[in-house]
Amino acid sequence: MTGSQLGKSINQKIPQYFHQLPHHRYWLAVVHYHPDHRFNYFFYVKRLGVSTYSYPLGGEDDHLEKLKETLSAFRSRYQFPIQFINFDPETQRALQRWLHHLK
């Protein structure tokens, strides 16, 4: 699955988990899983005073260009915060800067 196809797939899955409710917080997490050389995507839902839930949305090989295509497709529809997990600090800063300029 190419990055833009995965982005569209993620965009189609989000509505089943996102409901504009008070005291809820939503964000996308991108987890760099080094042993499998993959980026995995999760949608997090946090309700005040209740446990946080994560929903798997998909995964792809760990190529930064694919990641950027996927996140561009995601950002074209949603503006949820994006958390990068298990990325080295330099790559994480570069991706945060890139996301900032994407808006």
Side-chain angles (χ1 to χ4, degrees):
M1 189 176 292
T2 66
S4 59
Q5 288 176 334
L6 181 59
K8 289 176 187 174
S9 173
I10 288 172
N11 287 345
Q12 291 172 350
K13 292 177 183 177
I14 294 285
Q16 64 185 331
Y17 307 120
F18 173 63
H19 309 285
Q20 284 186 309
L21 298 171
H23 308 293
H24 281 67
R25 184 171 168 238
Y26 304 92
W27 70 95
L28 179 75
V30 182
V31 180
H32 189 191
Y33 188 62
H34 296 281
D36 288 343
H37 303 287
R38 293 184 59 77
F39 295 131
N40 295 306
Y41 298 86
F42 296 90
F43 188 67
Y44 278 81
V45 178
K46 169 79 173 141
R47 199 172 100 200
L48 186 65
V50 179
S51 297
T52 302
Y53 296 95
S54 67
Y55 301 97
L57 300 175
E60 64 187 348
D61 294 337
D62 64 350
H63 300 289
L64 285 178
E65 289 308 313
K66 284 185 181 180
L67 173 66
K68 288 180 179 182
E69 287 176 19
T70 301
L71 293 179
S72 292
F74 173 77
R75 273 284 191 230
S76 70
R77 185 157 177 199
Y78 296 107
Q79 295 299 312
F80 294 117
I82 298 175
Q83 178 184 20
F84 297 101
I85 301 170
N86 292 337
F87 284 78
D88 64 82
E90 185 178 317
T91 304
Q92 188 171 349
R93 279 192 298 276
L95 287 168
Q96 291 290 358
R97 281 193 302 271
W98 175 81
L99 275 175
H100 180 72
H101 293 298
L102 187 62
K103 294 180 184 179

